[in-house]
Amino acid sequence: MITGDASYIKKINRSIILREIVKEGLISRADLSKVTALTRATISAQVADLIEEGLIIETQLEHFTVGRKPIMLSLNSEAGYALGIDLDYDHVSFTISDLTGTPINTKRVETNTTDYREILNLLIQHINMYKTEYAYSQYGIIGIVIAIHGLVGKDEVIHYIPRLRWNNITLKNDIESEIDINVYIENNANLSAFAERVYVHHETENLLAATLYSGIGLGMMMNNEFFRGHDGFAGEIGHMIVVPNGIPCTCGNKGCWERYASETAIFRHLKETRHMNSVTYDDIQKWLNEGDEEVHQLMEEFIYYLSIGLNNMINMYNPDVLVLDSELLRMYPDSLEKISGNLNSSISHYRALQISSIGRNSALLGACALAIKHFLEVPMLNFKYDFQSNKPASANI
């Protein structure tokens, strides 16, 4: 039983109501009362406050021909906007979403530097630009979440970004001291996992999401919360050793998983063997279409080593859903079936293994969603978005 003063109970009820409105898209006051088990008087009072605050709006359905047309409630998507930022090695990506998590503006900026002060100034410059651009809305930019490809502590201090060579960076404080907007710092793999939970896998509370691009990162959602470990550094699964005394890794060990089962490992190998300055996804797709034996063999080895690490992850965490985010897996025929065929241990238990339908923007969408979660003060979000058509999915009526 929840106990506390009236303001605390009101805050809890508000969170419950907002969560259901977001989940359903459109819902009547009567149905809100049913699904939340709150009295109609409580619903009416809370809804009146939320309408006055501009967070929800009323819509009258037109297709009812008998009786009173029901008045439906929905989140006011244009009341404010979330800013998600993905801070990568050679570029920074920005995405603006409305309050329903729908992306409306995405921009990529090449950095060509690893100097912290230069990148900090770039971030502040673009944040101020977005702050001005969306100042017309009632709440403006409601929060900023920055995805970091490295170690982020529970205190949101960036402890280490390998490719940028940053140590103990207080990016959150440095931005907030210049701009009056809440800033949150989070590991990129965690944000990818959050996006999978919020946009796709609404029915699971335990989800793992492995990103396989520049290295291998693991985002973990356990009981709808991030699993961070003691200091916040959990998920550096790419440095699990799968080949004793194998290929040297930048972390100082040899035989790390990401040296064999990340996309970077594939691109690096092909650049070396084919004496090319760069290799693109289009190049690999072309070689696969042509039946290039070396590329096919390389992909089979990629899947083999990937399966070794996945088997370890499944046995360690027993996830409900395991999501893999990789362009190469999306390109390679029957890749998921081949991985599943390698996971044949009688003690490995999971419900679903899937390739991400969101793709490379998962960290950005997760960042926007996390900013919205903090702003609305809800325990979890269920957004509906069609990633094939890049449109919001139809609301439940």
Side-chain angles (χ1 to χ4, degrees), residues 309-346:
L310 293 178
N311 183 75
N312 294 340
M313 286 165 50
I314 291 166
N315 287 334
M316 280 190 287
Y317 297 108
N318 182 214
D320 185 21
V321 175
L322 178 57
V323 182
L324 307 176
D325 189 6
S326 163
E327 284 297 323
L328 292 182
L329 291 181
R330 279 185 279 271
M331 290 164 50
Y332 194 56
D334 303 320
S335 58
L336 197 60
E337 290 77 6
K338 291 177 179 180
I339 294 169
S340 299
N342 290 334
L343 303 176
N344 49 23
S345 169
S346 60

mmCIF file of all heavy atoms in Angstrom, residues 309-346:
data_model
loop_
_atom_site.group_PDB
_atom_site.id
_atom_site.type_symbol
_atom_site.label_atom_id
_atom_site.label_comp_id
_atom_site.label_asym_id
_atom_site.label_seq_id
_atom_site.Cartn_x
_atom_site.Cartn_y
_atom_site.Cartn_z
ATOM 1 N N GLY A 309 29.869 -15.325 -28.039
ATOM 2 C CA GLY A 309 29.597 -14.301 -27.034
ATOM 3 C C GLY A 309 28.134 -14.260 -26.634
ATOM 4 O O GLY A 309 27.810 -14.073 -25.456
ATOM 5 N N LEU A 310 27.236 -14.423 -27.607
ATOM 6 C CA LEU A 310 25.805 -14.394 -27.302
ATOM 7 C C LEU A 310 25.427 -15.545 -26.376
ATOM 8 O O LEU A 310 24.596 -15.377 -25.467
ATOM 9 C CB LEU A 310 24.982 -14.463 -28.589
ATOM 10 C CG LEU A 310 25.086 -13.251 -29.519
ATOM 11 C CD1 LEU A 310 24.251 -13.480 -30.762
ATOM 12 C CD2 LEU A 310 24.646 -11.983 -28.806
ATOM 13 N N ASN A 311 26.023 -16.712 -26.599
ATOM 14 C CA ASN A 311 25.753 -17.848 -25.729
ATOM 15 C C ASN A 311 26.148 -17.509 -24.279
ATOM 16 O O ASN A 311 25.416 -17.820 -23.329
ATOM 17 C CB ASN A 311 26.525 -19.072 -26.213
ATOM 18 C CG ASN A 311 26.225 -20.300 -25.374
ATOM 19 O OD1 ASN A 311 25.158 -20.898 -25.492
ATOM 20 N ND2 ASN A 311 27.158 -20.682 -24.525
ATOM 21 N N ASN A 312 27.289 -16.859 -24.107
ATOM 22 C CA ASN A 312 27.728 -16.452 -22.770
ATOM 23 C C ASN A 312 26.770 -15.440 -22.150
ATOM 24 O O ASN A 312 26.431 -15.527 -20.958
ATOM 25 C CB ASN A 312 29.139 -15.859 -22.831
ATOM 26 C CG ASN A 312 30.183 -16.888 -23.221
ATOM 27 O OD1 ASN A 312 29.968 -18.082 -23.100
ATOM 28 N ND2 ASN A 312 31.325 -16.407 -23.708
ATOM 29 N N MET A 313 26.327 -14.462 -22.949
ATOM 30 C CA MET A 313 25.404 -13.443 -22.455
ATOM 31 C C MET A 313 24.082 -14.056 -22.004
ATOM 32 O O MET A 313 23.537 -13.701 -20.940
ATOM 33 C CB MET A 313 25.149 -12.398 -23.546
ATOM 34 C CG MET A 313 26.307 -11.456 -23.788
ATOM 35 S SD MET A 313 26.143 -10.527 -25.335
ATOM 36 C CE MET A 313 24.494 -9.902 -25.204
ATOM 37 N N ILE A 314 23.569 -14.969 -22.812
ATOM 38 C CA ILE A 314 22.289 -15.601 -22.481
ATOM 39 C C ILE A 314 22.404 -16.393 -21.183
ATOM 40 O O ILE A 314 21.520 -16.326 -20.317
ATOM 41 C CB ILE A 314 21.829 -16.508 -23.643
ATOM 42 C CG1 ILE A 314 21.436 -15.642 -24.852
ATOM 43 C CG2 ILE A 314 20.665 -17.395 -23.215
ATOM 44 C CD1 ILE A 314 21.294 -16.417 -26.136
ATOM 45 N N ASN A 315 23.497 -17.128 -21.041
ATOM 46 C CA ASN A 315 23.667 -17.925 -19.821
ATOM 47 C C ASN A 315 23.872 -17.046 -18.586
ATOM 48 O O ASN A 315 23.478 -17.413 -17.481
ATOM 49 C CB ASN A 315 24.845 -18.886 -19.971
ATOM 50 C CG ASN A 315 24.519 -20.041 -20.892
ATOM 51 O OD1 ASN A 315 23.356 -20.408 -21.047
ATOM 52 N ND2 ASN A 315 25.529 -20.613 -21.515
ATOM 53 N N MET A 316 24.490 -15.885 -18.768
ATOM 54 C CA MET A 316 24.734 -14.992 -17.630
ATOM 55 C C MET A 316 23.474 -14.257 -17.194
ATOM 56 O O MET A 316 23.234 -14.086 -15.997
ATOM 57 C CB MET A 316 25.822 -13.965 -17.979
ATOM 58 C CG MET A 316 27.247 -14.494 -17.877
ATOM 59 S SD MET A 316 28.475 -13.177 -18.030
ATOM 60 C CE MET A 316 28.371 -12.789 -19.768
ATOM 61 N N TYR A 317 22.653 -13.799 -18.167
ATOM 62 C CA TYR A 317 21.578 -12.874 -17.833
ATOM 63 C C TYR A 317 20.173 -13.435 -18.033
ATOM 64 O O TYR A 317 19.210 -12.828 -17.569
ATOM 65 C CB TYR A 317 21.728 -11.590 -18.652
ATOM 66 C CG TYR A 317 23.001 -10.845 -18.346
ATOM 67 C CD1 TYR A 317 24.053 -10.814 -19.258
ATOM 68 C CD2 TYR A 317 23.155 -10.188 -17.137
ATOM 69 C CE1 TYR A 317 25.229 -10.147 -18.972
ATOM 70 C CE2 TYR A 317 24.327 -9.508 -16.839
ATOM 71 C CZ TYR A 317 25.359 -9.486 -17.760
ATOM 72 O OH TYR A 317 26.520 -8.822 -17.465
ATOM 73 N N ASN A 318 20.031 -14.556 -18.729
ATOM 74 C CA ASN A 318 18.712 -15.143 -18.954
ATOM 75 C C ASN A 318 17.687 -14.078 -19.377
ATOM 76 O O ASN A 318 16.681 -13.853 -18.702
ATOM 77 C CB ASN A 318 18.242 -15.866 -17.680
ATOM 78 C CG ASN A 318 16.889 -16.551 -17.854
ATOM 79 O OD1 ASN A 318 16.117 -16.604 -16.904
ATOM 80 N ND2 ASN A 318 16.578 -17.041 -19.029
ATOM 81 N N PRO A 319 17.929 -13.398 -20.513
ATOM 82 C CA PRO A 319 17.020 -12.323 -20.914
ATOM 83 C C PRO A 319 15.719 -12.870 -21.489
ATOM 84 O O PRO A 319 15.657 -14.018 -21.938
ATOM 85 C CB PRO A 319 17.815 -11.599 -22.005
ATOM 86 C CG PRO A 319 18.622 -12.690 -22.630
ATOM 87 C CD PRO A 319 19.005 -13.608 -21.496
ATOM 88 N N ASP A 320 14.702 -12.026 -21.473
ATOM 89 C CA ASP A 320 13.468 -12.355 -22.177
ATOM 90 C C ASP A 320 13.674 -12.147 -23.670
ATOM 91 O O ASP A 320 13.373 -13.009 -24.491
ATOM 92 C CB ASP A 320 12.348 -11.456 -21.640
ATOM 93 C CG ASP A 320 10.989 -11.813 -22.234
ATOM 94 O OD1 ASP A 320 10.836 -12.946 -22.711
ATOM 95 O OD2 ASP A 320 10.091 -10.957 -22.216
ATOM 96 N N VAL A 321 14.218 -10.984 -24.022
ATOM 97 C CA VAL A 321 14.447 -10.621 -25.423
ATOM 98 C C VAL A 321 15.896 -10.179 -25.594
ATOM 99 O O VAL A 321 16.428 -9.438 -24.767
ATOM 100 C CB VAL A 321 13.504 -9.483 -25.865
ATOM 101 C CG1 VAL A 321 13.827 -9.027 -27.277
ATOM 102 C CG2 VAL A 321 12.047 -9.907 -25.760
ATOM 103 N N LEU A 322 16.520 -10.635 -26.669
ATOM 104 C CA LEU A 322 17.885 -10.246 -27.017
ATOM 105 C C LEU A 322 17.852 -9.632 -28.413
ATOM 106 O O LEU A 322 17.451 -10.289 -29.382
ATOM 107 C CB LEU A 322 18.802 -11.461 -26.985
ATOM 108 C CG LEU A 322 20.266 -11.275 -27.356
ATOM 109 C CD1 LEU A 322 20.927 -10.229 -26.476
ATOM 110 C CD2 LEU A 322 21.005 -12.598 -27.236
ATOM 111 N N VAL A 323 18.275 -8.366 -28.513
ATOM 112 C CA VAL A 323 18.226 -7.625 -29.779
ATOM 113 C C VAL A 323 19.644 -7.349 -30.252
ATOM 114 O O VAL A 323 20.496 -6.915 -29.471
ATOM 115 C CB VAL A 323 17.460 -6.296 -29.611
ATOM 116 C CG1 VAL A 323 17.390 -5.561 -30.954
ATOM 117 C CG2 VAL A 323 16.064 -6.537 -29.069
ATOM 118 N N LEU A 324 19.893 -7.588 -31.534
ATOM 119 C CA LEU A 324 21.200 -7.335 -32.141
ATOM 120 C C LEU A 324 21.075 -6.177 -33.130
ATOM 121 O O LEU A 324 20.210 -6.191 -34.002
ATOM 122 C CB LEU A 324 21.691 -8.587 -32.883
ATOM 123 C CG LEU A 324 21.719 -9.887 -32.079
ATOM 124 C CD1 LEU A 324 22.141 -11.045 -32.967
ATOM 125 C CD2 LEU A 324 22.648 -9.751 -30.883
ATOM 126 N N ASP A 325 21.931 -5.191 -32.980
ATOM 127 C CA ASP A 325 21.894 -4.035 -33.866
ATOM 128 C C ASP A 325 23.132 -4.039 -34.747
ATOM 129 O O ASP A 325 24.240 -3.743 -34.296
ATOM 130 C CB ASP A 325 21.828 -2.749 -33.046
ATOM 131 C CG ASP A 325 21.555 -1.525 -33.917
ATOM 132 O OD1 ASP A 325 21.308 -1.696 -35.124
ATOM 133 O OD2 ASP A 325 21.588 -0.401 -33.388
ATOM 134 N N SER A 326 22.943 -4.420 -36.017
ATOM 135 C CA SER A 326 24.063 -4.534 -36.949
ATOM 136 C C SER A 326 23.561 -4.439 -38.384
ATOM 137 O O SER A 326 22.660 -5.183 -38.782
ATOM 138 C CB SER A 326 24.780 -5.877 -36.751
ATOM 139 O OG SER A 326 25.611 -6.192 -37.854
ATOM 140 N N GLU A 327 24.140 -3.531 -39.160
ATOM 141 C CA GLU A 327 23.794 -3.425 -40.579
ATOM 142 C C GLU A 327 24.228 -4.677 -41.339
ATOM 143 O O GLU A 327 23.546 -5.135 -42.253
ATOM 144 C CB GLU A 327 24.450 -2.192 -41.193
ATOM 145 C CG GLU A 327 23.785 -0.878 -40.839
ATOM 146 C CD GLU A 327 22.364 -0.783 -41.354
ATOM 147 O OE1 GLU A 327 22.084 -1.278 -42.462
ATOM 148 O OE2 GLU A 327 21.517 -0.237 -40.627
ATOM 149 N N LEU A 328 25.385 -5.237 -40.975
ATOM 150 C CA LEU A 328 25.880 -6.423 -41.686
ATOM 151 C C LEU A 328 24.942 -7.609 -41.496
ATOM 152 O O LEU A 328 24.723 -8.388 -42.430
ATOM 153 C CB LEU A 328 27.286 -6.779 -41.203
ATOM 154 C CG LEU A 328 28.397 -5.788 -41.576
ATOM 155 C CD1 LEU A 328 29.747 -6.291 -41.068
ATOM 156 C CD2 LEU A 328 28.455 -5.560 -43.083
ATOM 157 N N LEU A 329 24.386 -7.761 -40.303
ATOM 158 C CA LEU A 329 23.438 -8.859 -40.089
ATOM 159 C C LEU A 329 22.165 -8.645 -40.891
ATOM 160 O O LEU A 329 21.561 -9.612 -41.374
ATOM 161 C CB LEU A 329 23.104 -8.993 -38.598
ATOM 162 C CG LEU A 329 24.232 -9.480 -37.688
ATOM 163 C CD1 LEU A 329 23.741 -9.576 -36.254
ATOM 164 C CD2 LEU A 329 24.785 -10.824 -38.155
ATOM 165 N N ARG A 330 21.755 -7.375 -41.049
ATOM 166 C CA ARG A 330 20.572 -7.100 -41.860
ATOM 167 C C ARG A 330 20.835 -7.409 -43.329
ATOM 168 O O ARG A 330 19.928 -7.782 -44.079
ATOM 169 C CB ARG A 330 20.137 -5.637 -41.694
ATOM 170 C CG ARG A 330 19.321 -5.385 -40.430
ATOM 171 C CD ARG A 330 18.797 -3.955 -40.367
ATOM 172 N NE ARG A 330 19.805 -3.037 -39.885
ATOM 173 C CZ ARG A 330 19.996 -2.746 -38.598
ATOM 174 N NH1 ARG A 330 19.251 -3.300 -37.676
ATOM 175 N NH2 ARG A 330 20.940 -1.893 -38.227
ATOM 176 N N MET A 331 22.088 -7.263 -43.753
ATOM 177 C CA MET A 331 22.444 -7.486 -45.152
ATOM 178 C C MET A 331 22.644 -8.960 -45.490
ATOM 179 O O MET A 331 22.365 -9.382 -46.619
ATOM 180 C CB MET A 331 23.746 -6.729 -45.474
ATOM 181 C CG MET A 331 23.600 -5.230 -45.496
ATOM 182 S SD MET A 331 25.213 -4.380 -45.429
ATOM 183 C CE MET A 331 26.123 -5.227 -46.708
ATOM 184 N N TYR A 332 23.145 -9.733 -44.539
ATOM 185 C CA TYR A 332 23.584 -11.096 -44.836
ATOM 186 C C TYR A 332 22.399 -12.058 -44.772
ATOM 187 O O TYR A 332 21.693 -12.113 -43.756
ATOM 188 C CB TYR A 332 24.660 -11.523 -43.844
ATOM 189 C CG TYR A 332 25.421 -12.767 -44.255
ATOM 190 C CD1 TYR A 332 26.074 -12.819 -45.481
ATOM 191 C CD2 TYR A 332 25.484 -13.874 -43.430
ATOM 192 C CE1 TYR A 332 26.771 -13.942 -45.861
ATOM 193 C CE2 TYR A 332 26.190 -15.008 -43.796
ATOM 194 C CZ TYR A 332 26.834 -15.035 -45.024
ATOM 195 O OH TYR A 332 27.528 -16.152 -45.413
ATOM 196 N N PRO A 333 22.169 -12.840 -45.826
ATOM 197 C CA PRO A 333 20.999 -13.732 -45.866
ATOM 198 C C PRO A 333 20.999 -14.742 -44.716
ATOM 199 O O PRO A 333 22.027 -15.350 -44.410
ATOM 200 C CB PRO A 333 21.147 -14.439 -47.216
ATOM 201 C CG PRO A 333 22.015 -13.547 -48.040
ATOM 202 C CD PRO A 333 22.950 -12.888 -47.073
ATOM 203 N N ASP A 334 19.831 -14.897 -44.084
ATOM 204 C CA ASP A 334 19.604 -15.921 -43.048
ATOM 205 C C ASP A 334 20.549 -15.788 -41.859
ATOM 206 O O ASP A 334 20.824 -16.775 -41.166
ATOM 207 C CB ASP A 334 19.744 -17.332 -43.647
ATOM 208 C CG ASP A 334 18.805 -17.565 -44.823
ATOM 209 O OD1 ASP A 334 17.657 -17.108 -44.748
ATOM 210 O OD2 ASP A 334 19.231 -18.194 -45.806
ATOM 211 N N SER A 335 21.037 -14.573 -41.599
ATOM 212 C CA SER A 335 21.997 -14.413 -40.503
ATOM 213 C C SER A 335 21.388 -14.793 -39.152
ATOM 214 O O SER A 335 22.043 -15.449 -38.328
ATOM 215 C CB SER A 335 22.518 -12.973 -40.459
ATOM 216 O OG SER A 335 21.452 -12.046 -40.302
ATOM 217 N N LEU A 336 20.144 -14.389 -38.923
ATOM 218 C CA LEU A 336 19.518 -14.681 -37.631
ATOM 219 C C LEU A 336 19.314 -16.174 -37.439
ATOM 220 O O LEU A 336 19.539 -16.711 -36.341
ATOM 221 C CB LEU A 336 18.178 -13.947 -37.520
ATOM 222 C CG LEU A 336 17.597 -13.825 -36.114
ATOM 223 C CD1 LEU A 336 18.540 -13.073 -35.197
ATOM 224 C CD2 LEU A 336 16.238 -13.135 -36.159
ATOM 225 N N GLU A 337 18.903 -16.854 -38.497
ATOM 226 C CA GLU A 337 18.717 -18.303 -38.413
ATOM 227 C C GLU A 337 20.039 -19.013 -38.139
ATOM 228 O O GLU A 337 20.088 -19.991 -37.369
ATOM 229 C CB GLU A 337 18.097 -18.833 -39.707
ATOM 230 C CG GLU A 337 16.641 -18.442 -39.936
ATOM 231 C CD GLU A 337 16.487 -17.008 -40.413
ATOM 232 O OE1 GLU A 337 17.518 -16.337 -40.686
ATOM 233 O OE2 GLU A 337 15.335 -16.537 -40.491
ATOM 234 N N LYS A 338 21.111 -18.512 -38.733
ATOM 235 C CA LYS A 338 22.421 -19.125 -38.507
ATOM 236 C C LYS A 338 22.890 -18.909 -37.073
ATOM 237 O O LYS A 338 23.463 -19.819 -36.462
ATOM 238 C CB LYS A 338 23.442 -18.556 -39.504
ATOM 239 C CG LYS A 338 23.176 -19.003 -40.944
ATOM 240 C CD LYS A 338 24.155 -18.371 -41.924
ATOM 241 C CE LYS A 338 23.866 -18.856 -43.335
ATOM 242 N NZ LYS A 338 24.783 -18.267 -44.332
ATOM 243 N N ILE A 339 22.655 -17.724 -36.541
ATOM 244 C CA ILE A 339 23.021 -17.464 -35.145
ATOM 245 C C ILE A 339 22.210 -18.361 -34.221
ATOM 246 O O ILE A 339 22.755 -19.002 -33.313
ATOM 247 C CB ILE A 339 22.796 -15.987 -34.793
ATOM 248 C CG1 ILE A 339 23.758 -15.096 -35.580
ATOM 249 C CG2 ILE A 339 22.985 -15.753 -33.294
ATOM 250 C CD1 ILE A 339 23.439 -13.622 -35.489
ATOM 251 N N SER A 340 20.901 -18.427 -34.455
ATOM 252 C CA SER A 340 20.036 -19.262 -33.613
ATOM 253 C C SER A 340 20.465 -20.717 -33.658
ATOM 254 O O SER A 340 20.424 -21.421 -32.640
ATOM 255 C CB SER A 340 18.574 -19.130 -34.067
ATOM 256 O OG SER A 340 18.116 -17.806 -33.949
ATOM 257 N N GLY A 341 20.909 -21.160 -34.829
ATOM 258 C CA GLY A 341 21.353 -22.539 -34.966
ATOM 259 C C GLY A 341 22.598 -22.847 -34.155
ATOM 260 O O GLY A 341 22.842 -24.004 -33.791
ATOM 261 N N ASN A 342 23.396 -21.804 -33.867
ATOM 262 C CA ASN A 342 24.605 -21.993 -33.058
ATOM 263 C C ASN A 342 24.316 -21.956 -31.554
ATOM 264 O O ASN A 342 25.168 -22.349 -30.756
ATOM 265 C CB ASN A 342 25.627 -20.902 -33.377
ATOM 266 C CG ASN A 342 26.230 -21.062 -34.762
ATOM 267 O OD1 ASN A 342 26.281 -22.162 -35.301
ATOM 268 N ND2 ASN A 342 26.678 -19.961 -35.349
ATOM 269 N N LEU A 343 23.140 -21.487 -31.185
ATOM 270 C CA LEU A 343 22.785 -21.366 -29.767
ATOM 271 C C LEU A 343 21.966 -22.581 -29.356
ATOM 272 O O LEU A 343 20.770 -22.496 -29.089
ATOM 273 C CB LEU A 343 21.987 -20.071 -29.531
ATOM 274 C CG LEU A 343 22.677 -18.773 -29.954
ATOM 275 C CD1 LEU A 343 21.762 -17.578 -29.753
ATOM 276 C CD2 LEU A 343 23.978 -18.573 -29.181
ATOM 277 N N ASN A 344 22.624 -23.714 -29.337
ATOM 278 C CA ASN A 344 21.899 -24.962 -29.124
ATOM 279 C C ASN A 344 22.165 -25.607 -27.769
ATOM 280 O O ASN A 344 21.890 -26.775 -27.557
ATOM 281 C CB ASN A 344 22.240 -25.966 -30.237
ATOM 282 C CG ASN A 344 23.741 -26.096 -30.447
ATOM 283 O OD1 ASN A 344 24.535 -25.804 -29.554
ATOM 284 N ND2 ASN A 344 24.126 -26.512 -31.653
ATOM 285 N N SER A 345 22.699 -24.828 -26.819
ATOM 286 C CA SER A 345 22.934 -25.368 -25.486
ATOM 287 C C SER A 345 21.598 -25.637 -24.793
ATOM 288 O O SER A 345 20.668 -24.824 -24.877
ATOM 289 C CB SER A 345 23.753 -24.378 -24.642
ATOM 290 O OG SER A 345 23.777 -24.780 -23.293
ATOM 291 N N SER A 346 21.504 -26.734 -24.106
ATOM 292 C CA SER A 346 20.257 -27.096 -23.426
ATOM 293 C C SER A 346 19.983 -26.220 -22.213
ATOM 294 O O SER A 346 18.879 -26.238 -21.668
ATOM 295 C CB SER A 346 20.306 -28.564 -22.986
ATOM 296 O OG SER A 346 21.389 -28.779 -22.091
#
